[in-house]
Amino acid sequence: MIITKPLNNNVVMAKNNKQEEVIVVGTGIGFHKKAGDVIDERKIQKVFSVADNNKLAELISQIPGVYIELTEKIVQYARRKYHLELNQNIYLGLTDHIYFALQRLQENIDLDNPFLIDIQHFYQQEYKIGLYAKEMIHRMFHIQISDDEVGYIAMHIIENEFQQKRQDFDKIFKVVNESVCFIRKYYLKDVKESSLAYTRLVNHVKYFAKRYVEGHENQSQNRLLKETIQGVFQKEQKCINRLSLHLKDEFGKEMSESEKNYLILHLRNCCELKE
């Protein structure tokens, strides 16, 4: 590939072997390089086709390439540390957000994040990725971002994982919060937030909430499971039936019977693993 425009030490515009315009990211890939130089392919970490990413190319033309470099560092960290496979949409949304967030902070404009507590409790691994981004931003730009901004970065990671419209994305947060708070209040009153039981509960509810909001709830029926639940897990069944009615009051519909049954089993496991 031939460089057409160096953007910084680690990001360049180039032409590939098919003479298509691409954005190339790699440590030191643009160091002391100029238009017409050949790219050292051993340094390539990521290649974006401009034809497939017109908005990303437009963004790169408007902001310093160091921001796409930062996003690549965050994505690589998420992949290496937590094995997340984020799609290419993350580069546009997160790069754009970080650039304008830092512009706002330099003008002393800081935004509150109404979902911060929920993110810290229910999406801990994504929040830790946000903390890594905070560290990299300080290292690269000498700017300290707030916990609210860490939360917004985590939200981009979560949204990319779920690929939700913003309205659905906000609703998923609310369903998770309502469900976990309800279960803790009426069933797992003494569960520790650091416990395996709590982690399993939150993870299960997150994916239930996604199905619930999308209307893709599990509808399969298992007669033996249903009979076991009705005969043995009466306390858990009562909790989830009440939760279902609570969700109906808040969001307009109850849980499917299948979703109830699996969540009842999950609660039983949580109770046994409470410590």
Side-chain angles (χ1 to χ4, degrees), residues 131-148:
L131 290 174
Y132 172 80
K134 177 179 182 176
E135 177 187 339
M136 295 308 302
I137 288 168
H138 183 255
R139 186 180 301 177
M140 296 171 69
F141 300 99
H142 308 292
I143 296 174
Q144 283 283 7
I145 65 172
S146 65
D147 288 346
D148 292 285

Side-chain angles (χ1 to χ4, degrees), residues 84 86-87 90 94 113 115-116 118-120 122-129 150-164 166 169-170 172-173 176 206-207 210:
L84 299 187
L86 304 172
N87 66 45
I90 193 69
L94 186 54
N113 188 333
F115 299 110
L116 179 61
D118 291 341
I119 294 167
Q120 290 172 328
F122 305 138
Y123 294 88
Q124 294 181 13
Q125 103 178 351
E126 290 84 357
Y127 187 74
K128 288 176 182 177
I129 295 169
V150 171
Y152 280 120
I153 291 172
M155 287 176 70
H156 278 278
I157 303 295
I158 300 164
E159 188 172 15
N160 189 268
E161 288 181 278
F162 283 164
Q163 281 300 288
Q164 296 296 310
R166 175 61 63 179
F169 184 58
D170 293 349
I172 287 172
F173 268 110
V176 171
K206 282 194 294 187
Y207 290 103
K210 182 177 184 293

